[in-house]
Amino acid sequence: MNTTTKPKHIGRNISRIRELRGMKQEALAMAIGVSQQTISNIEGSETVDEEKLQLIAKELGVTAEAIKSFSEEAAINFFNTFNDSSHGTNFLNNQCTFNPLDKVIALYDEKEKLFERLLQAEKDKVTYLEKLLNK
């Protein structure tokens, strides 16, 4: 039985980190001065030269070492700690900066005003047509 570990696929790690950052290949390509196809090729490669890796890491806002050691499990555990209040710290501020009900009410008011304007326009049309008929 072979117990050797498979080396990390650096390109796949770059792809996952880029996706987690919400960045498209085109945006990363423009940021480091290459084509989108080059980024696609890099993400398909098991290894990436150190200079390119440093550029990519900088644009993704991580270190090259973070790309090399990235794992899905670690990322999931990292994000789960944000919602785990058992540690006594809450890293995320989960409070809205606006009242969602205010937004709903404002939207409702806008629709109501639009409806009133449309209704008035129809009333004006009826009045105009009645005048034409009476002439």
Side-chain angles (χ1 to χ4, degrees):
M1 184 161 102
N2 188 356
T3 59
T4 59
T5 59
K6 189 175 178 183
K8 294 273 186 181
H9 194 290
I10 303 301
R12 192 173 301 122
N13 291 352
I14 291 169
S15 174
R16 290 299 297 136
I17 293 169
R18 177 183 55 74
E19 290 167 356
L20 288 169
R21 292 287 198 188
M23 183 182 278
K24 295 196 176 287
Q25 284 184 342
E26 294 85 2
L28 181 57
M30 284 179 50
I32 67 170
V34 296
S35 69
Q36 179 272 327
Q37 185 61 45
T38 301
I39 295 297
S40 180
N41 291 339
I42 288 171
E43 290 181 356
S45 301
E46 273 193 41
T47 60
V48 176
D49 76 71
E50 195 62 31
E51 186 178 323
K52 277 263 194 280
L53 187 60
Q54 292 293 334
L55 280 172
I56 291 169
K58 181 179 178 220
E59 291 305 320
L60 292 176
V62 297
T63 63
E65 190 57 40
I67 293 174
K68 291 176 186 176
S69 62
F70 176 81
S71 76
E72 295 285 333
E73 185 178 321
I76 290 168
N77 289 337
F78 175 77
F79 286 111
N80 282 342
T81 61
F82 284 121
N83 294 322
D84 184 4
S85 58
S86 65
H87 292 88
T89 56
N90 189 359
F91 294 104
L92 291 179
N93 180 2
N94 290 328
Q95 297 178 354
C96 291
T97 57
F98 62 90
N99 185 341
L101 289 177
D102 289 343
K103 294 286 186 181
V104 171
I105 291 169
L107 181 61
Y108 176 79
D109 289 343
E110 287 298 317
K111 285 187 174 185
E112 188 175 28
K113 288 176 186 174
L114 176 62
F115 177 75
E116 288 172 3
R117 287 195 311 261
L118 289 171
L119 184 60
Q120 185 59 47
E122 290 300 315
K123 286 179 181 178
D124 292 345
K125 284 181 194 175
V126 168
T127 303
Y128 177 72
L129 291 173
E130 285 176 344
K131 284 182 184 176
L132 286 177
L133 283 174
N134 290 336
K135 287 188 179 181

